Amino acid sequence: MYRRMILKDLKRKKTLNIILLLFVVLSAMFTASGVNNIMTVEKGLDHYFEEAGMADYYILSHKSNGKDSVQELLQNSENAKSYRKDEVIYTSEDNFKQNGKKLMEYYNVSMVQSLSNSDFHFFDSENKIVKEVDSGKMYIAGAIAGKSDLQIGDKFTLKIGEINMEFEFAGVLKDALFGSEMINNPRMLVSDEDFRKIANDEYVKQYNSGSIYYIETDDLSALQSETAEAEDVYLAIDNETVKLNYFMNMLVAMIILIVSIGLIIVSFAVLRFTIGFTIAEEFREIGVMKAIGLQNHSIRLLYLAKYFCIAVVGAFIGYFLNIPFGKMLIASISKNMVLENQNSAVLGILCCIVVVLVILFFSWNCTGKIKKLSPIDAVRSGQTGKRFHKKSILQLGKTKLKSTAFLAINDVFSQPKQFSIITAIFAICTVFVMVLSVTANTLSSEKMLKLLGLTKSDVYFVDSKRITDVISGARNVNETKQEISDILAENHMPAFVYIEEWYNLSVTANGEKYKVNFVWCDDTETTDYTYTKGVAPKYENEIALTEVLAEKMGVEIGDTLIIGIDGENKEFILTALFQSIMQTGNVGRLCQEFEIPNQLMTGAIGYQINFNDNPEEKIISERIETLKDIFQNKNIYNVRGFINNVTGVSDTLESVRNFVLLISLIVIILIAVLMEHSFISNEKSEIALMKAIGFRNHAIMTQHTGRFFISVILAQLLASCLCVPLLILFIDPIFSTMGATGGIEYQFNVVEQFVIYPLIITATVAISAFLTAIHTRTITASDTANIE
């Protein structure tokens, strides 16, 4: 009997049951993929670093006249428990060519090394350890190779010094140490034979040879202090800081997880609402079953059996959909990382079982209302006739609204619980899209320049070749600036060219030594930059530090620090604090009045160009395209393009935002259709009565659509109010881990975030509700005497 009744009910209410099934599928899919991704992301970096063989501390050095001062220091260090060393050759994007053009576009120094002498583990695109590299072949870091059109088997040349060798692309390389977008120092793997051939070139020996040290220690602070005096150090970084350099990758993952959790909550809320609504609607069937002798528990088990069938089928489908769906969500951050979850299948099954149990719990909880129903309720249409309070705050006699508008507003106020849930769901879907949109816009806006420690320019020219030549000592930085300026003048685009130079210096504070990356530019004023506390450095013996670095050193404004520069210790006064996401916040700034030896420069982001004629944005865009041809370099950007290139996730976030918008619209359509279909079924006699007293079909459809329109308008207002608090709650802490401890200034596109997206969602709700409301045409005035 149960089987026959369940099958009949499933056939009789196909639309409601199908939509309910879809929400079960969504719940199972989001729960399984969300939990799996949480586990993958949470343990992902630790697993990746462990598999790669990471150490506690890393030093990237340059050999000066064949002498390696870092190795001598480590050999005599009491704080270095052990260390490993990889020999590398420094290269730039100009060293790699294919058919006469640059093979890849990147803005930092790259490194070529042999695999045979390294104990470090690299991974290919399938997350397998690279164990061998054939002669004539080269693996290239995924963050860079992924941005080019390289295909396995493609040929290209490496030209450096007197070396001109042809290589074949062997595949994408995943490098835990230098694989993040933020570090952008790509490594290339070649065979030992090819490496030795390159390393023996005299030019390479003099300017391009160096080492990477992987150091194990029991006292990281002491080791950092001890190695702070080492010369020819490009980069010194600890393991935790390396993890923070995957911030942009993790940002996408965290946002995806937050969205997944939100959609799971929405799905479960709709499930509970729908189940309770359906049972309340079937008062007649319940009353009849009680009249023929069925007990409460028997009737409740009947409903439980029905929803169990829907839950099992939905969870089964959701489990298999979660596999490709979860991979798609995590794909954006797994390109440069080895993210594996060994228990994904088990977790997926457990999550789907939980979904089924939760649905059964909701069903059993909602069926508790069955106890209150009696056979007489079937006769009274589920009404007792008793009501001792106003149904609504509105009164028909005192309103000037038209009848359809009054009825729509009155319905919303008369059923606050139902419509508040609908409003909350619409608000959640809207606010997720708003938050993602603001975050994506912020990560590509001019406001990010403050967090990068840069001033605004017309053009940003990232030239790793010239920067590498300066770092290696082959050229002078002023020569490269003048060269670029002359080329611009020759092409009728006179401009002022400058560059923010990086210097890795030793700093002593409170008796401890630190290695700090200082930024210095003699073509700008320190007052051109933004500070959170204090006054910009004005004299040559004044400096500014980030809040993160000042806290780490235990210093405050007015304290004196000792900085080692070219073998000489000098005293500096700390006059200001600022925030930066560069080097995870471990940055300082020297005053432009201070003269620092150019040969100590260890890096730079790129050259900045300001045209003398102050052109408009359109002209700047045209000139950028011209400059790309002149310099044969694609790494020439306006502000937005440059910031997007540095952060590397703005485009990804925009894709995630569009995906979330699509999912939100699907959820909204399902909710609108489900709720309106339920309202029509529950209000059949009322609709028939309205038609009997003269209401036309169009008026009734307008009333039903109006209810959802009011809910979605309230949802947009609620979402707009929640947008900023949610940004502060969820996004601020993420940026704080990268050094922006004082919060960030968000970039709002008012038209996009508060007009376009709300209009899209509002239109979707209104159209869905109106199309579903067309079903009211099938109800006639004679149905007033027929509940069914």
Side-chain angles (χ1 to χ4, degrees), residues 160-207:
I160 182 171
E162 298 299 320
I163 298 295
N164 192 348
M165 297 175 62
E166 184 178 71
F167 285 93
E168 178 182 322
F169 181 51
V172 168
L173 186 72
K174 294 186 179 183
D175 178 5
L177 181 55
F178 294 110
S180 74
E181 296 279 356
M182 293 293 289
I183 294 182
N184 208 277
N185 290 101
R187 278 202 277 191
M188 292 80 169
L189 284 185
V190 297
S191 67
D192 186 61
E193 177 186 350
D194 291 334
F195 180 80
R196 290 302 163 199
K197 184 176 181 180
I198 302 168
N200 288 332
D201 179 79
E202 291 301 321
Y203 181 89
V204 172
K205 284 182 180 179
Q206 184 175 359
Y207 297 112

Side-chain angles (χ1 to χ4, degrees), residues 39-55 58 120-125 127-129 141-143 172-180 187 239 242-243 246 249-250 333-342:
M39 297 300 294
T40 300
V41 171
E42 183 183 358
K43 299 181 184 276
L45 271 180
D46 291 333
H47 168 76
Y48 183 27
F49 280 24
E50 183 180 348
E51 291 294 314
M54 297 283 277
Y58 314 92
F120 192 80
H121 291 161
F122 301 91
F123 301 85
D124 59 20
S125 57
N127 295 340
K128 295 180 180 178
I129 296 176
V172 168
L173 186 72
K174 294 186 179 183
D175 178 5
L177 181 55
F178 294 110
S180 74
R187 278 202 277 191
N239 206 38
V242 175
K243 287 183 179 180
Y246 283 89
N249 302 82
M250 303 305 290
I333 65 168
S334 62
K335 293 178 181 178
N336 307 326
M337 303 165 62
V338 177
L339 295 177
E340 293 183 349
N341 186 353
Q342 303 294 336

